[in-house]
């Protein structure tokens, strides 16, 4: 049987990076992955250009860009391996990149460059990679030799059995099963008695009941900037509805600080209408905070004083409400929206003040309750996962199981859209590699 210092399961973002770092520290590392192709998720990420990190990340305040039962868990790892560290690595490999939107960094050419970089780093660390290679069984033998309380893992794979003192689980989440996602990481956690937080799709389009959605289906393909928030009977932002733009990604704690909090999230991003519901960055972001049965509130004209603008239009124009509204929101939206009421399908000077006020109110506080999500087929991430209370935030090692580590998306840490999930993969992998 071959011996390694560490076996890492999952050659995705976290697994490749951890393997490279551990190998370069002189450890004998085996990286095992059941998929035919290495790092498929990196390949398809960021529209093929991989949004590999985000400059706008404050490790001292991880709750700003990460969710999970305890967002503070990722603080130490994020502080010890920062976006600047990853950027330095990308630069060392001569990969050109650019900033797109709100600190998001993308490869200029292709995500393939990031994969090639990670493979080169693994090669520099002498990492052995078996791929495709499935995992059949893991058995832990406690021993009095070696590290205090340590032992070894016997790992049966499709290519034979190996032994290692450390086993790193980097199997990612459940999204996009057709490119290799599986529940192996969660099953391994369960095998060793490590608790899991309920899993659900995150960064995912939201869907609506067919009949309820029928009036909006005609808007499929329309994209527009919005302010979107969780919580009912409120504008997306606690701040006054109109006027100055609301704070980015503001979380409003409705409970006592430190106590059980019911927080409301809000984002300023683009919304995309689809045939089945809503997508686009605004909806993907809010989906990670949305719970089944809960309503969303959307301001379809953020920063526009709709009541004042409609009142002014009424005073000076005889054009149809839809035509005047088209100066304030996209014309397709204006046309579709006025179809909802006969009182809006007339010249604006003939519309009542009450009708125009209702129009303004509905566009600025569109209340709607999704019926579901597009599921793991379309989700970019999996929320929940290995309970962070069971892991060391310094090393990602399971507190009650020596030598067993969990890194990347399999852990109950989920970042916002915009490179945060890869940064968590790099940072958690780095923390683990230093401890192996
Ligand atoms: P990852 O999923 O990368 O790797 C897990 C590996 O484990 C896979 O190679 C898989 O084959 C392997 N594995 C699973 N089960 C196994 C088993 N039973 N046996 C052996 N191997 C097994 N994030 C971001 O920051 N910027 C972005 O631009 C994007 N874009 C994006 C687009 C799309 C379409 C998706 C689906 C996701 C993103 N993401 C993203 C999210 C990001 O891809 C994700 O968070 C990271 O890849 C997670 O890294 P991990 O290494 O934890 O898992």
């Amino acid at each position: 049987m071959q011996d390694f210092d560490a076996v890492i399961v999952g050659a995705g973002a976290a697994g490749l990076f951890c393997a490279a770092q551990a190998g370069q520290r002189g450890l004998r590392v085996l990286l095992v992955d059941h998929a035919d192709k290495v790092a498929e998720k990196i390949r398809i990420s960021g529209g093929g250009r991989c949004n590999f990190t985000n400059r706008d990340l404050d490790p001292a305040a991880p709750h700003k860009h990460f969710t999970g039962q305890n967002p503070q868990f990722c603080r130490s790892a994020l502080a010890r391996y920062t976006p600047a560290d990853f950027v330095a690595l990308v630069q060392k490999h001569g990969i050109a990149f650019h900033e797109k939107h709100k600190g998001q960094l993308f490869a200029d050419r292709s995500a393939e460059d990031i994969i090639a970089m990670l493979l080169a780093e693994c090669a520099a660390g002498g990492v052995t990679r078996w791929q495709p290679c499935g995992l059949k069984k893991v058995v832990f033998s406690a021993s009095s030799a070696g590290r205090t309380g340590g032992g070894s893992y016997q790992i049966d794979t499709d290519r034979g059995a190996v032994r290692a003192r450390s086993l790193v689980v980097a199997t990612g989440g459940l999204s996009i099963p057709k490119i290799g996602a599986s529940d192996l990481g969660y099953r391994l956690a369960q095998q060793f008695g490590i608790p899991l937080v309920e899993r659900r799709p995150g960064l995912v389009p939201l869907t609506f009941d067919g009949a309820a959605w029928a009036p909006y289906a005609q808007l499929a393909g329309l994209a527009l900037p919005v302010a979107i928030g969780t919580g009912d009977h409120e504008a997306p932002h606690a701040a006054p509805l109109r006027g100055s733009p609301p704070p980015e990604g503001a979380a409003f704690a409705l409970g006592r600080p430190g106590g059980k909090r019911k927080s409301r999230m809000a984002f300023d991003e683009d919304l995309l209408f689809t045939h089945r519901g809503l997508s686009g960055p605004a909806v993907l972001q809010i989906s990670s905070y949305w719970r089944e049965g809960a309503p969303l509130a959307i301001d379809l004209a953020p920063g526009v004083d709709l009541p004042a603008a409609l009142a002014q239009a009424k005073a000076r124009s005889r054009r149809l409400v839809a035509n005047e509204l088209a100066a304030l929101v996209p014309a397709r939206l204006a046309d579709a929206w006025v179809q909802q009421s006969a009182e809006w399908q007339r010249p604006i000077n003939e519309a009542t003040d009450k009708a125009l006020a209702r129009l303004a109110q509905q566009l600025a506080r569109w209340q709607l309750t999704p019926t579901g999500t597009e599921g793991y087929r379309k989700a970019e991430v999996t929320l929940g996962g290995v309970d962070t209370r069971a892991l060391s935030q310094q090393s990602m090692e399971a507190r009650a199981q020596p030598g067993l580590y969990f890194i990347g998306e399999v852990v109950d840490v989920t970042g916002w859209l915009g490179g945060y999930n890869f940064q968590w993969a790099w940072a958690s992998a780095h923390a683990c590699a230093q401890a192996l």
Side-chain angles (χ1 to χ4, degrees):
M1 191 184 319
Q2 285 194 64
D3 272 303
F4 291 91
D5 295 312
V7 169
I8 301 175
V9 191
L16 282 166
F17 197 57
C18 186
Q21 302 249 315
Q24 290 177 27
R25 286 188 53 230
L27 302 186
R28 292 163 305 154
V29 179
L30 172 66
L31 184 56
V32 178
D33 197 299
H34 70 165
D36 290 335
K37 283 170 91 176
V38 68
E40 269 293 67
K41 246 180 222 173
I42 298 181
R43 192 166 284 108
I44 62 169
S45 68
R49 292 237 162 87
C50 185
N51 176 195
F52 55 80
T53 192
N54 194 303
R55 279 196 207 281
D56 181 18
L57 190 161
D58 178 2
H63 59 279
K64 280 190 185 167
H65 297 113
F66 293 88
T67 180
Q69 283 202 334
N70 177 18
Q72 296 301 325
F73 172 82
C74 48
R75 195 175 168 145
S76 165
L78 291 173
R80 285 181 290 145
Y81 194 85
T82 65
D85 292 323
F86 196 78
V87 165
L89 183 67
V90 167
Q91 284 170 329
K92 188 180 113 188
H93 284 260
I95 299 172
F97 63 93
H98 59 281
E99 184 171 333
K100 228 177 169 174
H101 171 64
K102 297 184 177 173
Q104 301 169 5
L105 301 186
F106 289 76
D108 279 0
R109 205 187 66 86
S110 163
E112 294 286 357
D113 290 344
I114 301 295
I115 299 174
M117 176 188 87
L118 293 169
L119 291 174
E121 289 288 314
C122 282
V127 172
T128 305
R129 180 162 57 94
W130 290 354
Q131 184 165 9
C133 176
L135 209 81
K136 290 178 174 157
K137 197 166 131 195
V138 173
V139 177
F140 175 70
S141 314
S143 98
S144 49
R147 292 190 307 166
T148 319
S152 70
Y153 291 86
Q154 184 178 318
I155 299 140
D156 287 346
T157 78
D158 292 344
R159 299 196 193 179
V162 294
R163 192 167 38 217
R165 73 181 150 76
S166 300
L167 174 63
V168 181
V169 181
T171 45
L174 296 168
S175 54
I176 326 275
K178 68 170 190 240
I179 58 167
S182 85
D183 65 352
L184 177 67
Y186 310 124
R187 283 191 281 117
L188 285 170
Q190 281 169 327
Q191 177 183 337
F192 290 100
I194 294 164
L196 296 173
V197 174
E198 179 206 357
R199 274 84 62 215
R200 58 197 171 90
L203 299 180
V204 64
L206 298 172
T207 55
F208 295 83
D209 170 69
W213 194 248
Y216 309 107
Q218 59 181 307
L219 292 172
L222 174 68
L224 73 161
V226 302
I228 189 167
T230 54
D232 47 355
H233 312 304
E234 304 262 8
H237 298 284
L241 199 54
R242 292 170 203 93
S244 57
E248 172 62 60
F252 302 104
L254 302 180
R256 279 180 299 112
K260 258 247 179 276
R261 281 151 154 263
K262 191 179 163 211
S263 62
R264 213 151 58 77
M265 285 301 296
F267 292 93
D268 291 328
E269 283 285 2
D270 280 1
L271 173 94
L272 175 69
F273 283 85
T274 72
H275 289 287
R276 289 161 48 88
L278 293 173
S279 187
V283 169
L284 299 187
Q285 296 282 37
I286 207 72
S287 72
S288 294
Y289 296 87
W290 175 75
R291 285 296 190 159
E292 208 147 315
L296 295 175
I298 302 177
D299 183 349
L300 291 163
V304 178
D305 188 344
L306 281 173
L310 290 174
Q312 280 166 18
K314 177 175 168 160
R316 64 164 163 70
S317 168
R318 291 181 192 172
R319 298 199 311 156
L320 289 171
V321 170
N323 292 341
E324 289 299 334
L325 190 58
L328 306 169
V329 299
R332 278 180 72 193
L333 178 65
D335 282 343
W337 208 270
V338 299
Q339 285 169 29
Q340 298 180 68
S341 170
E343 58 185 355
W344 299 331
Q345 293 168 36
R346 56 178 63 171
I348 195 161
N349 59 318
E350 292 173 19
T352 65
D353 290 348
K354 215 168 145 194
L356 292 182
R358 209 162 62 81
L359 177 61
Q361 158 89 12
Q362 286 189 8
L363 283 163
R365 297 186 184 190
W366 187 25
Q367 298 270 338
L368 64 176
T369 303
T371 42
T373 76
E374 292 281 4
Y376 291 117
R377 205 172 46 88
K378 289 273 178 75
E380 288 204 6
V381 289
T382 300
L383 299 159
V386 173
D387 192 329
T388 54
R389 284 172 300 186
L391 304 180
S392 153
Q393 56 182 306
Q394 298 297 318
S395 64
M396 310 294 136
E397 187 176 18
R399 293 184 191 286
Q401 181 58 42
L404 180 64
Y405 299 77
F406 292 86
I407 58 174
E409 197 181 314
V410 74
V411 179
D412 174 30
V413 170
T414 304
W416 283 12
L417 193 74
Y420 295 100
N421 285 297
F422 279 138
Q423 189 57 36
W424 167 243
W426 319 134
S428 58
H430 174 265
C432 171
Q434 304 312 304
L436 287 173

